[in-house]
Amino acid sequence: MRVAIDATPLTVPTGGARRYVVELTRALAEEFPSGEFHLLSDQPLGKAPQELLGLQNVRFGSARRPRWAAKWWSLGLPWELHRRRIDVFHGTDFAIPYLPLRASVLVIHDLSPWKRGPARVRAAERIRRRTPCLLKLATQITTHSEAIRSELSDFFGIAPSKIAAIPLAAAGTFCRQAGSNVTERLRRLGIGRPYLLFVGDRNERKNLQGLIDAWRGLRKNGEKVSLVLVGKPGVAEIETLEEPGLHILGPLDDKVTVGLLSGALAFVYPSLYEGFGLPVLEAMKAGAPVVTSEDPAITEVAGGAALQVDVRSREKLTRALVEVTTNSQLRTRLKERGSRRASQFTWRSTALLTHAVYDKAIRRF
C-alpha cells in the first residue's frame, strides 16, 4: 500500500499535530515495512525529523514547481498523488485534495474552529470555510476520541459509520527520569522545588489565567509552591506577567520537558476543551500526578487516573491544588494510576487502527 500523509504540521517546530504526524508515521513504517509512506506538503519540509531518519519506506516531497504550490490542494497535490501512484491520502490537519481522485482519510482533531468563547480557534477561518465541504468528499474520517466522534457526527450530521475514533499515545521519550538528572535540569532552568507544571500552547482555551489565579490562591494558603508554564506563547497578558514563583518558559525539547514532569509536584492541565488531551498521557507516563478539567475527551483519556475538577471555578481549582500539594498519599495514588493508564495507549495500536481505516477507505472508494 502506498500512503500519502499531509506533512504540513512538520513545518512548525512544536505542537500536537506535529507530534501526531511524526509518531504515527514512524509506527506505520515499522509495523508495515512493505508499505510506502510519503510525507507531502506544499511548503519546504527541511531536515527530516530525527525520529524518522533511517526508515527506508518513508519518503519526503513538496511542490515540485512554484505554480503547483499556489494551487496545491486543487492541482499540485492531486498530480503528486497520481505521479507517486498513491492508494490513499491521509489528511492529518483538516484538509484533503479538492479533487477526489484517490481514497482519502480526513482527520478532525476537534471542533474548536466552530466553538464560541475561549474554546474557539481565532485564526481558523479557512478551516471553517472549507472543512464542511471536505467532510463530504472524504472517504473516511477519523478523530482521536469518542467524545469528538460523537460531537462531529451530531454537529455536521455525518453517519457514525464514516467516523473512527483512534486514540493517540505518549511517545517513548516520556519515561520517568532519575532524580539526579531532574535536579540538574531544574538548576539550569533556575527552577526550585516544589513546583506545579503546565505544558502546552498558551491560548485562551487552556485556561491559564484560571490556573494562575488558583495558584495565587494556593500561595495565599501558605503553600510556597512555584508555577512553571512551558509552551508556545499565546495570551499577551500572561506573557508579560512577572511575579515571584512564576516561571514562563518557551517550548522545550522532550528530554527537558520529561525532566520537568518527573520532578513536578503535579502536572496541571485546566483546559476548557480538547480533542484528546495528549499532554495528560505524557505527564502520566513521565510519572507526574495529574490535575485536569472535566472536559469529555480528557475524561475519556484519563480513565479515572487523574484528579478532575470544574476548572471554570477558581475556588474549586484552588482546592484541588491545595489537596494535591498537601496530600502525599493522593499524589502517590495518582502516579500509580497514571502510569497504568498511560501504558494502555501505544502508537503501535494507533498505527494498526489507522491502517485498518486506510484499507476500509480503499475498499469503499
Side-chain angles (χ1 to χ4, degrees):
M1 181 188 298
R2 287 188 174 91
V3 181
I5 299 172
D6 179 16
T8 305
L10 300 184
T11 61
V12 297
T14 62
R18 177 187 172 88
R19 174 82 66 187
Y20 171 60
V21 171
V22 170
E23 294 296 334
L24 176 62
T25 301
R26 175 167 62 177
L28 284 168
E30 292 174 349
E31 290 300 318
F32 301 95
S34 62
E36 289 183 10
F37 302 94
H38 298 247
L39 289 162
L40 305 179
S41 176
D42 59 336
Q43 303 175 43
L45 295 177
K47 186 178 179 181
Q50 186 70 31
E51 298 91 336
L52 302 181
L53 294 177
L55 296 173
Q56 300 301 314
N57 55 344
V58 175
R59 315 277 191 270
F60 292 85
S62 56
R64 295 166 64 84
R65 299 176 183 177
R67 69 172 183 273
W68 289 140
K71 298 182 178 180
W72 177 247
W73 293 102
S74 59
L75 297 176
L77 181 54
W79 169 250
E80 279 295 310
L81 301 184
H82 170 75
R83 190 179 70 83
R84 293 170 182 260
R85 293 180 294 145
I86 296 299
D87 297 304
V88 60
F89 178 81
H90 186 168
T92 57
D93 199 21
F94 293 97
I96 56 173
Y98 299 161
L99 297 176
L101 304 179
R102 293 287 188 282
S104 61
V105 175
L106 176 61
V107 177
I108 303 296
H109 299 291
D110 56 51
L111 270 68
S112 57
W114 297 275
K115 292 290 184 180
R116 297 183 182 275
R120 184 182 179 93
V121 174
R122 303 299 178 188
E125 182 54 39
R126 190 180 185 190
I127 292 175
R128 287 189 286 272
R129 185 176 66 251
R130 71 179 182 177
T131 300
C133 295
L134 298 181
L135 287 167
K136 297 176 182 178
L137 293 179
T139 316
Q140 290 291 133
I141 302 166
T142 70
T143 65
H144 305 313
S145 63
E146 289 291 345
I148 299 301
R149 177 176 180 265
S150 177
E151 185 180 10
L152 177 64
S153 177
D154 292 343
F155 189 82
F156 287 104
I158 302 170
S161 60
K162 190 178 179 179
I163 311 170
I166 303 177
L168 310 180
T173 53
F174 283 84
C175 293
R176 189 171 185 178
Q177 294 187 355
S180 59
N181 293 337
V182 174
T183 301
E184 176 60 21
R185 295 189 188 282
L186 293 176
R187 184 188 66 78
R188 292 179 181 177
L189 292 169
I191 298 170
R193 287 184 167 119
Y195 63 90
L196 301 171
L197 176 66
F198 166 88
V199 179
D201 291 349
R202 294 196 285 271
N203 54 44
E204 283 189 275
R205 68 167 164 159
K206 302 305 181 183
N207 190 31
L208 293 186
Q209 189 59 61
L211 171 57
I212 292 171
D213 290 343
W215 167 73
R216 288 168 177 159
L218 174 68
R219 301 267 285 193
K220 289 179 181 178
N221 193 58
E223 304 300 329
K224 301 302 181 184
V225 178
S226 297
L227 176 62
V228 182
L229 308 180
V230 174
K232 188 165 62 177
V235 182
E237 292 80 359
I238 293 174
E239 303 308 317
T240 56
L241 285 177
E242 291 186 15
E243 59 185 280
L246 179 62
H247 303 269
I248 301 178
L249 309 177
L252 302 173
D253 66 39
D254 285 353
K255 288 185 179 180
V256 178
T257 300
V258 173
L260 285 174
L261 286 167
S262 297
L265 202 61
F267 174 74
V268 189
Y269 198 69
S271 180
L272 300 174
Y273 179 69
E274 290 291 319
F276 184 76
L278 184 56
V280 168
L281 273 190
E282 292 172 341
M284 288 177 173
K285 187 166 184 175
V290 173
V291 179
T292 188
S293 70
E294 296 174 330
D295 171 77
I298 291 179
T299 299
E300 183 180 325
V301 171
L307 177 60
Q308 293 186 259
V309 62
D310 177 7
V311 296
R312 296 180 185 271
S313 166
R314 189 186 73 174
E315 292 74 19
K316 291 180 180 180
L317 183 53
T318 299
R319 286 200 297 269
L321 297 187
V322 171
E323 185 177 7
V324 77
T325 298
T326 59
N327 190 335
S328 61
Q329 292 182 334
L330 172 63
R331 294 197 302 273
T332 298
R333 288 199 302 272
L334 291 175
K335 286 182 181 180
E336 292 173 349
R337 292 175 183 173
S339 178
R340 289 195 296 269
R341 182 60 175 166
S343 68
Q344 296 172 10
F345 297 80
T346 67
W347 281 106
R348 178 179 183 272
S349 176
T350 303
L352 293 174
L353 292 170
T354 302
H355 199 272
V357 173
Y358 294 161
D359 281 330
K360 185 175 182 180
I362 292 170
R363 291 196 306 270
R364 286 192 57 190
F365 183 74

